[in-house]
Amino acid sequence: MKYAGSTHPICYILLLLVFLAMFFFLIPSCASTSSGTARPSETAASGDGPSGDTTEIAVPAAASRSYFRKISPDVLSDIEFGSPLSLRRAAGNLRKTASDYTEPEKVLLSVAAGITTIAWPSVSITWETPEVVEPTSYLGALDSAQLGVYDYSTGDIDFLTLELPSLVLLSSGTRTDYYNTARTALKKALALNPDSLLANYLYGILLRRMGQDSEALVFLKKAADSEKNCLETNYALAKCYQATGAVSAAESAAQNLELQYPENTDVIKLCAETTFAAGHYDSAEQYVARVLQKQPDNTTYILFRARILVQKKDYIRAAALLDVYARTDQDSRDYLMLRAQIQRDWNRNDDAAMDTIKKAIALYPDDMQILLFAADLALSSGTIVDGMDAGQLAFKILAADPDNTEAIYIYVMQKMRDKDWNDAYTYSSRLMTSSGELPADAAFNHIQICLELDKTDEAWELAARLYKERPGDEKVLQSYLLVLTRIGKTAEAYALINQLLPQASSKMKSTLYYRRSFIVSGTEAQLADLRSSLIANPRNSDTLFRMYSIYFKNKDYRKAQYYLRQVIALNPSDESMLKLNTELDSLVAR
């Protein structure tokens, strides 16, 4: 049946089907992707991601970039790369009259400006940013980052929403509760675009904040290499080199920055720090002087200069600077350490140094460097600090840092002084097997400890190896001759001494005559060698003590006391020598 003036229902159905077909045909099947973004199939198991392994990374949905689908891929790639130069280039390519901007173009211009403001403060923004009407997750993430807040609400829908919230790492905020979320998001961003300078930079900064400096180096170096003249990335790389102990690399990176930014105070400070760490004290002092020219009231750098001068043993100028610093602060850790060092090494006033270091311990009871200085001072002066001798102070350090080689060395020295040879051997053995650089006398101490415990095979093995490696080293020769004598190879020792004597220095001649006195027979022959030893070096305490021992054994107490008092004059704080002298006083008085 037909109805006048109306359409048959079947026609409505047909028209609806045609409309639906046209709708689905015209809708884009997926969002466009920029040329700088890797496809998921290329990155999921590449092994080149942030973790360096082959763990698959969840990549955002394919429709993630529909908001910027009409933007040039080159422009979007520059924004994602995120360097000062690429952001400026992107803004230039987007520039047009204000009325012609689309909303996504306005957003990208604001994103470029926001990244530059937060990440590259040394760079000026040279483009206008038209007002954005629509609220977006992109600008929301930037606003949050500037407020020191990580934006969790971006939805992780594309590269920028994954990356932008982590700009909070460059703000002054102190929160850390977002680190794991930021790490996951940045790993996803780097899976999408592993070459992004900004993403590598932010990931490196995040790893440093998480205490993973060695891992951070990879990403910070990639960021710095991507744009050679970027101040912030190269500065971050130099600081990371510092943190990992790569002293030469840090110094080189800092000085390369100075070539590009010679008037930048932060760069000059970095050069001062890195050259000081490298032991180049003259250069470090010049950099510090340049900082003080710009900032004459910078007390931190006044103290830094004093520290450099102490290293150069320029104690007069160092002390003057400490006096200047003391007008504003007498409780600073570094001030107290430097003051104590000057009192000990220049003023030769162990009591004053002891009072200063006691104050430092009271203010900073858990500071390892202060405790180490106190232990070293207690060892050299033979005194007690805060009720603890050098060994006890060193042991306190080892409770917190078991591998501290300096503390182990001091502990061993104290145990040798106490003649606690078994404990000394235990810790000396640890020291000899440590991977760090050993104190100069560590091996010679170990040889002596082994001989005291009759571990002659171990002593011989170490002495023979040292002699083979450094046959011209006087200390090595002394230890080698000692072991030869103790293991009964007296003929070999005697021949070597006679061979060395004609060309030996005065100090070495003194040692050789002293060592030969143990080989020759008869008291007169021994005393003759000991007198020759003292002619070559009147301050040889070993020879003086051996003279005392021979005269004491022969009950010639006055001569014995004469030589013992010379030993005490050289070692006035040695309590064992003072005790022997007291006993001699009573014998001489009889």
Side-chain angles (χ1 to χ4, degrees):
M1 182 181 294
K2 293 183 179 179
Y3 297 90
S6 65
T7 305
H8 195 281
I10 294 175
C11 294
Y12 284 113
I13 294 170
L14 290 173
L15 285 171
L16 180 61
L17 290 172
V18 170
F19 177 79
L20 290 172
M22 291 175 64
F23 178 82
F24 285 111
F25 179 78
L26 292 174
I27 287 293
S29 60
C30 63
S32 61
T33 59
S34 74
S35 60
T37 302
R39 292 186 295 276
S41 61
E42 295 173 341
T43 60
S46 67
D48 295 326
S51 64
D53 52 31
T54 57
T55 304
E56 289 196 6
I57 297 173
V59 177
S64 61
R65 289 181 159 196
S66 57
Y67 186 76
F68 296 119
R69 65 182 178 275
K70 293 184 179 180
I71 302 293
S72 163
D74 289 340
V75 169
L76 199 53
S77 178
D78 274 343
I79 296 289
E80 290 187 2
F81 188 72
S83 76
L85 181 61
S86 72
L87 292 171
R88 189 182 301 117
R89 184 170 58 236
N93 289 332
L94 284 170
R95 186 176 291 123
K96 57 181 69 172
T97 58
S99 60
D100 292 335
Y101 283 118
T102 65
E103 200 66 14
E105 289 172 337
K106 294 178 183 179
V107 168
L108 277 183
L109 284 169
S110 293
V111 166
I115 291 173
T116 302
T117 299
I118 299 172
W120 321 124
S122 66
V123 177
S124 300
I125 297 172
T126 58
W127 60 93
E128 295 182 356
T129 53
E131 183 181 357
V132 177
V133 178
E134 298 176 3
T136 66
S137 56
Y138 308 105
L139 300 189
L142 287 169
D143 291 340
S144 295
Q146 287 181 306
L147 294 172
V149 176
Y150 186 91
D151 191 344
Y152 292 91
S153 65
T154 60
D156 294 356
I157 59 174
D158 62 8
F159 178 87
L160 290 175
T161 52
L162 288 164
E163 176 192 64
L164 294 178
S166 290
L167 285 166
V168 70
L169 289 161
L170 307 177
S171 72
S172 58
T174 58
R175 295 181 60 172
T176 62
D177 54 352
Y178 64 88
Y179 282 0
N180 288 330
T181 302
R183 182 170 187 163
T184 299
L186 287 173
K187 286 175 74 173
K188 289 180 180 179
L190 284 167
L192 286 169
N193 189 348
D195 295 326
S196 167
L197 179 148
L198 181 58
N200 278 286
Y201 175 58
L202 291 174
Y203 196 72
I205 296 294
L206 176 60
L207 289 175
R208 287 214 62 203
R209 295 278 186 86
M210 297 176 78
Q212 300 175 32
D213 294 318
S214 297
E215 294 85 346
L217 266 179
V218 177
F219 298 93
L220 292 176
K221 190 171 189 313
K222 185 169 184 178
D225 288 345
S226 296
E227 194 162 300
K228 296 292 187 182
N229 63 346
C230 179
L231 170 60
E232 288 79 6
T233 55
N234 282 281
Y235 185 90
L237 177 63
K239 295 294 284 186
C240 193
Y241 278 134
Q242 263 189 303
T244 56
V247 175
S248 296
E251 182 182 28
S252 176
Q255 290 178 341
N256 286 337
L257 263 180
E258 189 208 0
L259 294 175
Q260 300 178 66
Y261 305 95
E263 298 304 319
N264 186 292
T265 304
D266 288 333
V267 170
I268 298 171
K269 288 178 178 179
L270 181 64
C271 288
E273 294 170 10
T274 55
T275 51
F276 178 81
H280 301 148
Y281 301 127
D282 289 336
S283 295
E285 188 182 1
Q286 290 174 11
Y287 285 121
V288 169
R290 287 171 60 186
V291 173
L292 290 172
Q293 285 176 353
K294 293 171 175 285
Q295 302 172 352
D297 296 327
N298 188 326
T299 54
T300 299
Y301 268 71
I302 290 173
L303 199 60
F304 192 0
R305 190 171 194 177
R307 187 178 171 199
I308 294 168
L309 292 171
V310 166
Q311 291 296 323
K312 294 172 67 174
K313 302 188 187 305
D314 189 346
Y315 295 119
I316 295 177
R317 286 202 297 155
L321 287 172
L322 289 182
D323 290 340
V324 172
Y325 183 87
R327 296 170 192 166
T328 56
D329 183 7
Q330 295 186 21
D331 294 336
S332 159
R333 170 200 179 276
D334 290 342
Y335 166 79
L336 292 169
M337 287 279 287
L338 290 171
R339 180 66 78 188
Q341 191 170 346
I342 289 174
Q343 288 166 335
R344 181 191 65 180
D345 298 342
W346 183 46
N347 302 127
R348 306 293 181 187
N349 190 337
D350 286 346
D351 290 338
M354 196 69 68
D355 289 340
T356 302
I357 210 65
K358 283 179 181 177
K359 179 180 179 180
I361 292 174
L363 291 171
Y364 309 97
D366 299 320
D367 188 291
M368 293 295 106
Q369 287 302 312
I370 290 175
L371 288 173
L372 194 62
F373 184 91
D376 188 52
L377 180 60
L379 183 69
S380 62
S381 62
T383 53
I384 302 297
V385 180
D386 263 12
M388 293 179 282
D389 65 17
Q392 290 167 322
L393 286 163
F395 196 77
K396 186 175 181 180
I397 297 167
L398 293 173
D401 182 9
D403 298 323
N404 189 310
T405 54
E406 292 176 272
I408 296 173
Y409 176 76
I410 290 172
Y411 186 80
V412 170
M413 291 289 287
Q414 182 64 50
K415 290 303 172 182
M416 291 175 68
R417 180 174 292 175
D418 297 340
K419 301 192 184 308
D420 185 350
W421 301 111
N422 285 308
D423 208 11
Y425 177 78
T426 299
Y427 281 86
S428 183
S429 297
R430 277 177 53 184
L431 189 60
M432 295 304 297
T433 56
S434 65
S435 57
E437 185 177 351
L438 296 180
D441 291 337
F444 308 129
N445 289 341
H446 193 71
I447 289 170
Q448 183 181 345
I449 294 166
C450 288
L451 292 175
E452 293 292 342
L453 294 172
D454 290 326
K455 297 179 181 290
T456 52
D457 288 344
E458 186 174 347
W460 169 247
E461 181 181 350
L462 179 55
R465 175 166 60 82
L466 290 173
Y467 181 65
K468 182 178 180 181
E469 293 170 355
R470 310 198 308 265
D473 187 303
E474 292 189 355
K475 287 193 173 182
V476 170
L477 279 169
Q478 292 174 32
S479 288
Y480 184 66
L481 288 168
L482 171 63
V483 177
L484 281 175
T485 306
R486 290 289 294 273
I487 65 176
K489 295 188 176 184
T490 53
E492 186 176 337
Y494 188 80
L496 181 58
I497 290 170
N498 290 336
Q499 175 189 332
L500 294 170
L501 270 172
Q503 303 300 324
S505 65
S506 293
K507 187 176 179 181
M508 189 59 188
K509 277 184 180 179
S510 180
T511 298
L512 293 172
Y513 281 122
Y514 166 73
R515 187 55 54 199
R516 198 171 72 176
S517 74
F518 288 93
I519 301 173
V520 296
S521 58
T523 302
E524 288 306 317
Q526 293 169 3
L527 288 173
D529 273 344
L530 292 171
R531 291 188 190 101
S532 296
S533 175
L534 290 176
I535 290 171
N537 178 15
R539 297 172 62 85
N540 188 327
S541 58
D542 289 332
T543 301
L544 290 167
F545 187 77
R546 180 148 166 75
M547 294 283 278
Y548 148 79
S549 300
I550 291 175
Y551 284 119
F552 184 86
K553 183 179 178 182
N554 293 332
K555 298 184 180 182
D556 191 343
Y557 298 129
R558 289 192 180 277
K559 285 186 178 179
Q561 191 173 55
Y562 170 79
Y563 289 106
L564 182 61
R565 284 178 175 174
Q566 291 187 64
V567 175
I568 292 170
L570 295 171
N571 304 281
S573 60
D574 192 325
E575 293 182 3
S576 63
M577 296 297 109
L578 294 171
K579 184 178 178 181
L580 290 175
N581 191 56
T582 302
E583 294 172 356
L584 261 180
D585 283 340
S586 62
L587 291 171
V588 171
R590 289 178 185 177

